Amino acid sequence: MVKEIEKAGFTVVQMANLIPVAKTVGANRMVPTISIPYPLGDPSTSKEEQWELRYHRVGVALDALTTEIEEQKVFDVEI
Amino acid sequence: MKKAVVYLNQFFGQIGGEDVADHAPEIREEKVGAAMLYDQLLDAEVTHTVICGDNFMGSNTEEAVEIILDFLKDVDFDIFFAGPAFQAGRYGMACGEIGKAVKEEFDVPVISSMNIENPGVEVFKKDIYIFPGGHSAAKMRDDVKKITDFGNKILNGEKLLPAEEEGYYKRGIRHQYFLEDETPAYERAIDMLLKKINGEEFESELPIPELDLVEIAPAIEDLSETTIALVTSGGIVPVDNPDKIQSASATRWGKYDISGMDRLENRDSNNFKTIHAGYDPAAADADPNVVVPVDAMRKYEEEGRIGKLHDYFYSTVGTGTTQKEAARMGKEIAQELQDANVQAVILTST
């Protein structure tokens, strides 16, 4: 899906836990998430922590959209 | 008697389903679940079964591999099997990760089985032997038979043939090899050239692997002028699943209005839930924003960092879904996005 969307000319960032799969499929901009069943907020942590993590990682995804890249790139996250 | 070790996920290792997909690695000095079938078919004894939850391996790969290699360092074994993983993507990736690590650390043959649609094939076929397998556990017996037959050939020191003849996915490794009819290279090259000149079909002896990458879209210059859409393969839908998107092997997708919503409200309040059958739905049902981050996008919209969050998000289910169907759905969604004047996309996958 990510490839077809990019082929159509959209700047797209994929947020995924299985980065090796995203790479093999051919995503160009990638941001890691924390797990498969809860990509952007671990339910064993507080609501505030989940929110901070999600706000941060979506922010990294937005940075990715504004970054020129020459090849496939996984963007670093801090939390 | 030679010895074998088998790697299984939480399901085939009889720990449980998605609710225990976080199960940490363990090793048992016995044959668990599918390991019994291996034991019957192999010219070796299966002495140990390693079991690890797919999510544990997916999310903590390094830690999981380290734990398992540590388990194995005092185990004496001649061959290692992982799976079969069928069309289960996470399981296939797990079999590949651990298989590759075991091969590197202990230098024993490692064999697995996966359906052609399993992402593990593309990622790991160069590292370990992977045989084509069925879609689901209904093919367990056939798939295990195939890989144990090949395992027995290795254990018994029989001559191994190229990938096409043995039946595993090509690893792209070149071997020196003498043809039975001993046709020398120059004759084969001339034959091939003549075929090419005459416009006939010919088969190269040095196939170049195809890389199918998409041209990188340019960076967005000014996010504050940009409309961004959320797309997901995580199966988030209104609780009544109005488009009847399938829980696995999806062929349908839906678009759902989020205009005026600060966040996605959850299943208990009768709003959004996940129908994805490939992961434990508890967290996504309790808070769908962990899969489709509407709340965070609204905050960035309010702060003026992005122009607008598109009024709809797009959703399908990415488990067991074939690449062909995913590509078609991707195209259809892209068309919608074009019609709606969206400029950028965040796609979340589970």
Side-chain angles (χ1 to χ4, degrees):
Chain A
M1 286 212 305
V2 71
K3 255 161 70 179
E4 293 298 332
I5 290 170
E6 189 146 15
K7 246 188 231 169
F10 294 98
T11 309
V12 54
V13 53
Q14 182 170 15
M15 304 189 75
N17 189 233
L18 299 181
I19 291 291
V21 175
K23 258 192 204 156
T24 311
V25 169
N28 287 322
R29 292 177 172 85
M30 289 161 278
V31 173
T33 61
I34 55 167
S35 88
I36 292 157
Y38 39 88
L40 294 167
D42 180 348
S44 71
T45 61
S46 72
K47 278 279 162 201
E48 290 71 32
E49 284 171 83
Q50 293 183 45
W51 163 255
E52 271 172 35
L53 178 132
R54 181 156 63 250
Y55 181 76
H56 169 67
R57 294 205 182 200
V58 171
V60 174
L62 295 177
D63 290 340
L65 290 174
T66 59
T67 307
E68 291 291 358
I69 54 171
E70 300 289 319
E71 55 185 12
Q72 289 181 299
K73 177 165 176 165
V74 181
F75 289 80
D76 290 336
V77 293
E78 279 158 31
I79 49 173
Chain B
M1 185 113 175
K2 301 250 170 126
K3 296 189 178 80
V5 174
V6 173
Y7 174 91
L8 302 171
N9 73 353
Q10 79 282 356
F11 184 74
F12 292 101
Q14 299 181 339
I15 308 280
E18 277 302 324
D19 51 327
V20 287
D22 275 324
H23 190 80
E26 61 169 299
I27 187 164
R28 297 206 201 150
E29 204 175 333
E30 58 176 326
K31 305 167 233 319
V32 183
M36 283 186 258
L37 182 58
Y38 279 98
D39 192 67
Q40 285 167 21
L41 297 172
L42 271 180
D43 300 337
E45 189 197 350
V46 176
T47 59
H48 295 73
T49 312
V50 176
I51 305 167
C52 177
D54 285 337
N55 288 353
F56 192 96
M57 181 62 88
S59 303
N60 316 286
T61 312
E62 257 177 59
E63 186 189 347
V65 166
E66 202 176 304
I67 296 173
I68 295 171
L69 293 182
D70 195 52
F71 285 156
L72 292 174
K73 72 176 196 289
D74 299 321
V75 176
D76 172 30
F77 62 108
D78 304 284
I79 193 163
F80 188 88
F81 291 91
F86 312 107
Q87 209 176 324
R90 280 170 296 161
Y91 191 16
M93 289 297 292
C95 290
E97 293 282 7
I98 194 60
K100 181 182 178 193
V102 166
K103 172 119 196 32
E104 280 167 4
E105 183 77 16
F106 303 106
D107 196 26
V108 295
V110 173
I111 314 176
S112 184
S113 161
M114 300 177 200
N115 184 265
I116 179 88
E117 288 283 350
N118 196 313
V121 173
E122 213 38 57
V123 182
F124 293 107
K125 67 180 178 190
K126 290 189 187 67
D127 302 303
I128 59 172
Y129 294 111
I130 305 177
F131 280 73
H135 292 279
S136 72
K139 290 284 179 208
M140 174 67 88
R141 208 179 167 84
D142 294 353
D143 290 355
V144 174
K145 175 86 172 63
K146 237 193 260 180
I147 58 180
T148 49
D149 281 351
F150 183 66
N152 286 338
K153 277 185 91 169
I154 297 179
L155 290 169
N156 298 326
E158 288 175 40
K159 183 167 182 256
L160 303 179
L161 303 171
E164 290 99 325
E165 284 162 66
E166 293 291 355
Y168 56 85
Y169 296 111
K170 280 195 228 174
R171 295 176 297 171
I173 297 174
R174 291 170 190 160
H175 292 278
Q176 178 154 302
Y177 182 78
F178 293 97
L179 292 180
E180 294 212 344
D181 63 6
E182 296 181 356
T183 314
Y186 61 84
E187 278 187 25
R188 304 201 304 274
I190 296 290
D191 284 348
M192 225 184 279
L193 182 60
L194 288 175
K195 280 187 182 169
K196 188 169 183 174
I197 291 169
N198 293 328
E200 291 167 37
E201 292 265 324
F202 64 94
E203 203 176 328
S204 169
E205 292 182 15
L206 285 176
I208 307 296
E210 278 177 49
L211 256 188
D212 185 20
L213 290 176
V214 180
E215 197 181 329
I216 296 170
I220 301 283
E221 279 179 26
D222 186 359
L223 273 185
S224 68
E225 300 282 324
T226 304
T227 301
I228 302 176
L230 291 172
V231 178
T232 190
S233 61
I236 302 292
V237 295
V239 283
D240 59 348
N241 187 13
D243 297 298
K244 302 200 165 44
I245 298 171
Q246 303 92 330
S247 289
S249 305
T251 57
R252 288 195 281 274
W253 55 272
K255 65 170 196 178
Y256 304 110
D257 192 349
I258 47 170
S259 55
M261 289 181 199
D262 286 337
R263 52 183 289 109
L264 292 182
E265 296 300 340
N266 67 13
R267 180 176 194 158
D268 281 347
S269 64
N270 218 19
N271 286 287
F272 292 93
K273 66 170 185 182
T274 182
I275 46 148
H276 196 294
Y279 66 89
D280 182 347
D285 282 350
D287 183 359
N289 299 276
V290 301
V291 179
V292 180
V294 172
D295 57 355
M297 290 297 279
R298 283 287 181 233
K299 180 81 175 148
Y300 284 116
E301 192 179 38
E302 187 191 308
E303 291 171 1
R305 178 143 178 227
I306 64 171
K308 183 175 160 51
L309 172 61
H310 180 47
D311 285 340
Y312 295 87
F313 79 89
Y314 300 78
S315 182
T316 186
V317 162
T319 189
T321 306
T322 63
Q323 290 191 23
K324 186 169 151 249
E325 290 296 329
R328 178 188 51 79
M329 291 192 279
K331 256 186 215 144
E332 291 170 3
I333 292 170
Q335 186 60 53
E336 286 265 340
L337 297 171
Q338 255 156 0
D339 296 344
N341 249 332
V342 168
Q343 290 104 33
V345 174
I346 294 180
L347 189 148
T348 54
S349 25
T350 51

